[in-house]
Amino acid sequence: MTDTAKRIAALKKEQNAVILAHTYTHPEVQDLADFVGDSYGLSKKAASADGYDTIIFAGVRFMAETAKILSPEKRVLLPVLEAGCPMAGMIDEFKLLNFKSQYPDAAVVCYVNSDVRTKALSDVCVTSSNAVKIVRKIDEKRILFVPDRHLGSYVAEQVPEKEIICWNGFCPVHDAVKAADVMETKKLFPGAVVLMHPECPAETRKTADLILSTGQMEELVKEKKYRQYIIVTESGITYPLSKADRSAEFIELTTASLHCVNMKRIMPGHILESLELGIHEIDVPENTAKKARIALEKMLELAK
Ligand code: 13P
Ligand code: SF4
């Protein structure tokens, strides 16, 4: 154990804190965490983190805000406050209000990769692991899907009985992956199974064997059915995947690099500093949080 890890462990005990980390963060950050998971798994953990006074969130801002909304009585620390998600900024409350006014009969389904004010104006939140299931369950036939046009188009493919109108947002990391990048890598590793995140564009998704959230990738790898995988999502995921099946091979694209600078901002030293000084606390105004909580709790309910 490093000196930093020892000091973090002592402070965690003293402050009754739990560390939650996304699978895209640095391996040394994931090693400090009590739970590592995808957005959905982390939301569930945050909602049920009873018995803790503080949640330290190693991920990006929308994830820490979600934790605060679901566990308002807890102190939530985001060790680097600037760790944002560019997709979340691609829609705001004014744009969403205008979008809604054009389709008054539609339900608003909001990817959790969004601002709290966007969530507050939405009917239900989703993550990449439960979006298809939830859209199938809701009554409205017409859906406004915000902000990710790619996850929205993936849901539309899976649920053709609904009319899904997507906002034009995207994740810059996944949006940049071309079908040709996957084909090039497939040529070199023809026996590998291609696992891809639904934030990739529709044309690129056609080259995948399976479209999965990061948590679903880990579940599949644990089954140890395949020996070689081409992984088409942020590179941090290969660390938990390698732990899930130590004998399998995980190949990244040879012609494209999937690297989210925001997920990589948090280092162990930031976690230590945040705990030691009690800084970088997330605050969500309760009037907005109250409305966003309805959409998030509906997600937790419908995803069961
Ligand atoms: P997951 O829902 O798979 O955790 O993905 C979150 C994310 O930010 C993908 O870019
Ligand atoms: Fe946002 Fe993309 Fe980074 Fe996920 S990988 S946090 S969607 S920029």
Side-chain angles (χ1 to χ4, degrees):
M1 220 193 222
T2 63
D3 187 43
T4 303
K6 278 187 204 149
R7 287 165 67 194
I8 289 173
L11 285 165
K12 254 177 57 181
K13 209 166 160 197
E14 207 178 286
Q15 299 182 22
N16 194 24
V18 63
I19 301 182
L20 307 183
H22 192 268
T23 49
Y24 292 166
T25 54
H26 288 292
E28 52 272 47
V29 168
Q30 296 189 32
D31 283 346
L32 292 170
D34 298 284
F35 177 80
V36 179
D38 70 356
S39 302
Y40 178 53
L42 292 167
S43 306
K44 280 201 298 186
K45 279 283 165 196
S48 64
D50 297 338
Y52 291 103
D53 297 318
T54 295
I55 297 173
I56 301 139
F57 214 105
V60 290
R61 196 179 182 100
F62 75 80
M63 295 179 174
E65 284 176 349
T66 299
K68 180 68 189 175
I69 296 164
L70 291 170
S71 275
E73 71 294 346
K74 293 189 189 4
R75 182 175 69 142
V76 176
L77 303 176
L78 178 64
V80 178
L81 281 177
E82 299 74 30
C85 167
M87 188 201 304
M90 291 181 188
I91 190 162
D92 61 29
E93 57 193 314
F94 305 107
K95 290 173 181 161
L96 180 51
L97 280 171
N98 186 35
F99 195 31
K100 279 170 69 142
S101 71
Q102 294 169 50
Y103 304 95
D105 60 332
V108 179
V109 174
C110 176
Y111 192 22
V112 285
N113 300 33
S114 53
D115 184 79
V116 58
R117 283 160 297 200
T118 306
K119 291 183 178 77
L121 288 168
S122 300
D123 294 295
V124 61
C125 288
V126 295
T127 73
S128 57
S129 71
N130 57 36
V132 170
K133 186 174 184 180
I134 290 177
V135 167
R136 276 200 187 113
K137 280 189 181 177
I138 54 184
D139 294 334
E140 285 85 347
K141 198 175 162 341
R142 182 178 267 180
I143 310 281
L144 302 184
F145 195 98
V146 299
D148 187 9
R149 65 178 184 226
H150 297 315
L151 180 61
S153 77
Y154 174 67
V155 174
E157 284 162 19
Q158 303 301 308
V159 195
E161 64 276 20
K162 304 253 173 178
E163 183 194 357
I164 298 183
I165 305 160
C166 298
W167 188 254
N168 199 19
F170 57 89
C171 159
V173 178
H174 291 83
D175 181 67
V177 184
K178 304 277 174 279
D181 295 317
V182 185
M183 296 314 288
E184 280 302 311
T185 312
K186 266 178 137 177
K187 267 192 235 161
L188 299 172
F189 303 95
V193 178
V194 179
L195 308 186
M196 189 178 291
H197 199 277
E199 285 178 12
C200 291
E203 268 311 295
T204 311
R205 289 199 306 267
K206 287 183 191 157
T207 63
D209 293 303
L210 293 162
I211 305 291
L212 301 169
S213 77
T214 55
Q216 290 166 338
M217 288 183 192
E218 206 176 331
E219 288 310 306
L220 176 87
V221 167
K222 275 186 193 156
E223 290 175 25
K224 303 191 176 176
K225 277 205 285 207
Y226 307 104
R227 305 301 342 124
Q228 203 178 43
Y229 301 87
I230 295 172
I231 301 298
V232 192
T233 190
E234 212 278 345
S235 58
I237 186 73
T238 48
Y239 183 61
L241 294 185
S242 313
K243 289 209 283 192
D245 184 354
R246 294 198 184 270
S247 62
E249 190 184 356
F250 300 95
I251 300 149
E252 292 180 27
L253 294 179
T254 51
T255 55
S257 148
L258 279 87
H259 185 83
C260 174
V261 285
N262 286 293
M263 284 285 190
K264 298 290 192 269
R265 280 180 190 249
I266 296 173
M267 297 298 289
H270 296 119
I271 297 177
L272 178 61
E273 186 190 54
S274 187
L275 270 172
E276 222 162 33
L277 305 176
I279 53 172
H280 304 323
E281 188 172 347
I282 289 289
D283 182 34
V284 182
E286 186 47 30
N287 57 342
T288 318
K290 205 161 61 184
K291 294 182 195 143
R293 192 173 298 123
I294 296 171
L296 283 165
E297 284 178 347
K298 195 161 175 193
M299 169 182 84
L300 296 176
E301 181 56 36
L302 292 178
K304 278 182 193 158

